[in-house]
Amino acid sequence: MGVSRSAAVALSALLAGASAQAQTPDAAPVPVPQVLRNAAADPGAIPAETKSPAAAPESPGVAVPAPPSAPEPAAPPPAAEAPAPPPLPSDPQSAAVAQRLADPAPLLARLSTKEREAIQAFYALGAFKPVWIVDGAFTPAAKAAAARLAAAGEDGLNASAYPVPVLGTQGTTEAQVAEAELKLSAAIVLYARDARGGRLNLASIAKLITPTLDIPAPDAVLGRIASAGPSAGALLQGYNPSQPGYLALKGRLAALRGHSHAPGAPSVQLPPGPVLKLGMTDPRVPMLRARFGLETRTAGTLDAGPGNPETYDAGVAAAVTSFQRGRGLPATGTLTAQTVAALGRPDTATRTDEGEAALLVNMERWRWLPSDLGRDYVLVNVPEFRLRVVRDGRQRDEARVIVGKVESPTPIFSGMMEYAVVNPSWNVPPSILKNEFLPGLARDPNYAARRGYEVVYRNGNVSVRQPPGERNALGFIKFMFPNNHAVYLHDTPNRTLFGASQRALSHGCVRVEDPFRFADAVLPEAWSSERLKKLIGKGERQIRLSEKLPVHLAYFTTSVDETGTVSTAPDLYGYDARMKIALGLSPGSLLVAKAPAAKATAKVKPTTAPKPVAEARPRPVREAHSDVEPGRRSAAPRPPADFGEPDLWTPRPARTSSGWW
């Protein structure tokens, strides 16, 4: 039987190594394994498992010295053993808390994995001792926190999302105490998160809603509330916004609910029994009469005596029909099992009218803003087309603004204004260059030159720059607060547009009606509007603020002033409808609600403006002009500071005789 070529080569190499070792002085003789001796005499005797797949033949009859013994194969490293779980605390109650935390069963449905891990870390630092339940009873801090959870509706939250566990009156086991302890912790953590704006997935509302939410750490919340004693409820409520605008909405909500929601009728627990129809007799009927405020029996007449109190007569059936209609049940007048169950639940008047829903939606938006707006700040309310400057906590100035179109919305977030640029140039961003500028060049080679633009062709790429000047799309000054959306506040040469009542006309940036008056309010005192105007036409000049100034781009469609007057603004980008669905205030699907963008665009176009040729074909909706990948908030690098949206191609409407005000 012949040997394979690969096996022979492998054997030759092994024996050659043994020969070299044998010739080395002081080398100890190495015994040759029997299998190799046999192979030297008869290569075909190599067992199959020793044959190598990559070897060459050797010449027959060659004397082969004894090779060294093959080294023992290294033993595989032992498999890493899973670390042993830490020992349970010796205290039975602490051990029960540790065991419940180790159990993967959820504490509350909306609690995230990270929040649960933070809760576990909090208890581990305290040797897993309960903080809310001591000697079988809730602590003062637990009672105060539980009262705040039950009153969550005052702040527009849903109290049912934060269930408060109940301790039995009989002896409670360690496991039951651990369950109640941890569920109360989970409810407190969820309340604090929701109060700071973590209730909704904002990307599902719109990708251009990108505030930086200051969600408190769960372990910090638990430590702070548990140590507050009777003040724990007020401390927990403090995670809600405290700005006057939010408090005014909250007060309006309380007044609306107090006026429209009368106390619900009491519930009644009926014992099991058959389905009751008109004319039947049943011992449960008197309980129904008491529930609906009916007479104990029908009155007697000349033709008939008083009725039987247990008769399911027309009066009882009519009351049941009305109840069924109010609870959304089939209004048959028959006492079904479903109706009995509904009678056992209190009437909480859960339906929300449009006025209340508008308040709840706008209260939620206050949670998107920082808990501290700053002593000085700029607030732009996009749907209102209005900007306000606050200095030392008091409003110093306000101005009309132009905001993004429906197809290029102004993002909603907060930034920090760092500097202003006088006589700015403008580099046309890629989105506008592709969608609007290049088609113009294709129609007219002199399109750019006639408008004072510089077109640069380099390595097959085209870039367009508009130098400073009176016709510059940024006007004479721009105010920069660097952000991933490449939006900012700026002047505009098309100042007649501020006379329109509907001012959703830009590509995402915010244009200010009187930029020099605005500069007076935000720039250092040394840079007055008169001094700035002297710089016009003298080249680009950057002016840094002595302190960064917070800029908040907000979206409020309902507000209440200090006199209690309610003001409304149009739901410019359709966020109200989407938020009502997300908050469960109206039926529907967010996927469906997002679809009709083209119809919304038609609603916000100025009625007096002719439709430009460049927009004759419908364009896809753009989530502003940023180069940031949709859905990414901070991973992408910021675009150049001189990129922005200025809308050179927005048509000028006919001159209006009076302004919005």
Side-chain angles (χ1 to χ4, degrees):
M1 179 178 180
V3 68
S4 69
R5 174 186 179 91
S6 58
V9 171
L11 178 62
S12 175
L14 181 61
L15 296 182
S19 174
Q21 182 175 357
Q23 296 173 5
T24 303
D26 303 326
V30 181
V32 180
Q34 184 63 38
V35 64
L36 296 183
R37 293 195 189 98
N38 295 340
D42 182 9
I46 301 178
E49 60 270 19
T50 64
K51 297 179 182 180
S52 170
E58 67 172 325
S59 303
V62 177
V64 180
S69 61
E72 291 291 334
E81 296 182 0
L88 292 176
S90 57
D91 173 44
Q93 185 58 72
S94 299
V97 172
Q99 286 180 323
R100 181 61 183 91
L101 285 169
D103 185 349
L107 295 172
L108 284 181
R110 295 172 52 235
L111 195 72
S112 68
T113 301
K114 289 186 177 180
E115 287 168 333
R116 181 173 178 134
E117 290 172 352
I119 293 175
Q120 188 166 12
F122 168 77
Y123 278 96
L125 287 175
F128 296 99
K129 292 183 179 298
V131 296
W132 309 116
I133 304 173
V134 176
D135 296 331
F138 283 121
T139 65
K143 293 177 182 178
R148 173 43 46 192
L149 297 177
E154 295 177 1
D155 284 283
L157 302 174
N158 188 355
S160 63
Y162 322 107
V164 177
V166 178
L167 290 178
T169 55
Q170 304 298 326
T172 348
T173 65
E174 286 87 359
Q176 291 171 333
V177 170
E179 185 77 13
E181 166 80 19
L182 296 175
K183 287 197 171 180
L184 181 56
S185 287
I188 290 172
V189 166
L190 283 181
Y191 180 97
R193 182 235 286 176
D194 291 353
R196 286 309 315 143
R199 184 155 56 145
L200 299 180
N201 175 16
L202 298 185
S204 69
I205 307 300
K207 292 182 179 178
L208 288 179
I209 300 176
T210 60
T212 302
L213 302 177
D214 50 348
I215 305 295
D219 48 350
V221 170
L222 294 177
R224 189 164 175 248
I225 303 302
S227 61
S231 303
L235 205 60
L236 185 59
Q237 197 278 335
Y239 286 106
N240 291 285
S242 59
Q243 292 89 351
Y246 172 84
L247 297 178
L249 290 172
K250 179 179 176 180
R252 179 67 179 177
L253 177 66
L256 184 64
R257 286 178 169 174
H259 181 267
S260 62
H261 287 177
S267 59
V268 56
Q269 302 292 335
L270 297 179
V275 174
L276 294 184
K277 297 182 179 180
L278 186 64
M280 296 179 65
T281 301
D282 190 272
R284 296 173 296 171
V285 174
M287 300 175 67
L288 290 173
R289 293 181 181 277
R291 163 62 175 80
F292 295 118
L294 303 176
E295 296 289 339
T296 56
R297 65 175 70 188
T298 55
T301 65
L302 294 175
D303 300 324
N308 186 344
E310 296 186 353
T311 300
Y312 193 79
D313 56 25
V316 178
V320 169
T321 301
S322 178
F323 172 82
Q324 290 170 329
R325 188 177 295 112
R327 291 296 184 94
L329 301 174
T332 61
T334 300
L335 186 69
T336 61
Q338 191 178 17
T339 305
V340 169
L343 284 166
R345 295 192 299 267
D347 183 5
T348 55
T350 55
R351 290 187 299 278
T352 305
D353 60 29
E354 283 301 310
E356 181 176 321
L359 294 174
L360 294 172
V361 161
N362 284 275
M363 288 174 69
E364 186 70 20
R365 290 185 183 130
W366 276 103
R367 308 181 197 279
W368 302 349
L369 293 169
S371 55
D372 182 7
L373 299 180
R375 183 191 61 187
D376 305 328
Y377 61 88
V378 176
L379 177 67
V380 178
N381 188 17
V382 173
E384 191 185 5
F385 312 115
R386 202 81 177 166
L387 170 152
R388 293 173 176 86
V389 181
V390 174
R391 287 291 191 183
D392 293 323
R394 301 183 65 180
Q395 182 173 312
R396 172 173 171 176
D397 198 6
E398 64 178 307
R400 301 177 188 183
V401 295
I402 291 172
V403 299
K405 306 173 186 177
V406 171
E407 63 266 30
S408 55
T410 295
I412 307 303
F413 71 102
S414 296
M416 300 294 287
M417 186 186 298
E418 298 181 3
Y419 61 94
V421 179
V422 183
N423 301 316
S425 58
W426 180 52
N427 291 323
V428 180
S431 59
I432 299 179
L433 183 64
K434 175 183 177 181
N435 294 316
E436 304 186 29
F437 203 91
L438 293 182
L441 284 174
R443 294 191 305 268
D444 177 10
N446 295 322
Y447 180 86
R450 286 192 291 102
R451 288 162 174 78
Y453 286 83
E454 300 171 354
V455 182
V456 179
Y457 298 90
R458 184 176 299 159
N459 298 327
N461 297 321
V462 179
S463 62
V464 178
R465 173 181 177 272
Q466 187 183 33
E470 190 169 343
R471 298 177 61 188
N472 187 281
L474 299 179
F476 293 123
I477 187 169
K478 66 177 180 179
F479 304 88
M480 304 299 296
F481 46 105
N483 58 84
N484 290 326
H485 298 290
V487 298
Y488 40 85
L489 305 171
H490 66 85
D491 183 18
T492 176
N494 298 334
R495 294 184 178 87
T496 57
L497 295 176
F498 290 100
S501 61
Q502 166 52 261
R503 297 193 292 276
L505 304 170
S506 80
H507 282 77
C509 279
V510 178
R511 308 180 200 169
V512 184
E513 181 180 20
D514 189 341
F516 290 102
R517 194 181 78 185
F518 178 67
D520 266 337
V522 299
L523 293 184
E525 292 184 3
W527 290 98
S528 64
S529 58
E530 290 76 13
R531 184 180 178 187
L532 290 174
K533 290 177 181 178
K534 292 178 181 178
L535 298 177
I536 300 303
K538 295 183 179 180
E540 190 164 317
R541 175 74 176 268
Q542 185 179 114
I543 301 171
R544 300 201 70 84
L545 278 66
S546 54
E547 293 183 5
K548 294 181 180 180
L549 182 66
V551 177
H552 308 294
L553 303 183
Y555 193 93
F556 294 115
T557 53
T558 300
S559 59
V560 180
D561 63 17
E562 56 275 6
T563 66
T565 303
V566 179
S567 301
T568 60
D571 183 15
L572 192 60
Y573 303 143
Y575 294 166
D576 276 7
R578 297 178 60 73
M579 286 187 65
K580 288 175 185 177
I581 293 173
L583 291 172
L585 303 176
S586 64
S589 166
L590 287 178
L591 295 177
V592 175
K594 192 175 181 179
K599 294 182 180 179
T601 303
K603 293 180 181 178
V604 300
K605 293 277 186 182
T607 56
T608 56
K611 192 171 183 179
V613 177
E615 295 185 359
R617 292 179 297 175
R619 295 174 301 186
V621 172
R622 297 196 310 276
E623 301 261 12
H625 49 272
S626 169
D627 293 333
V628 180
E629 179 183 349
R632 304 279 302 272
R633 292 171 63 174
S634 59
R638 288 176 177 167
D642 54 359
F643 271 21
E645 62 60 58
D647 186 1
L648 303 179
W649 302 275
T650 297
R652 296 190 181 189
R655 194 174 189 86
T656 54
S657 58
S658 61
W660 188 36
W661 312 107

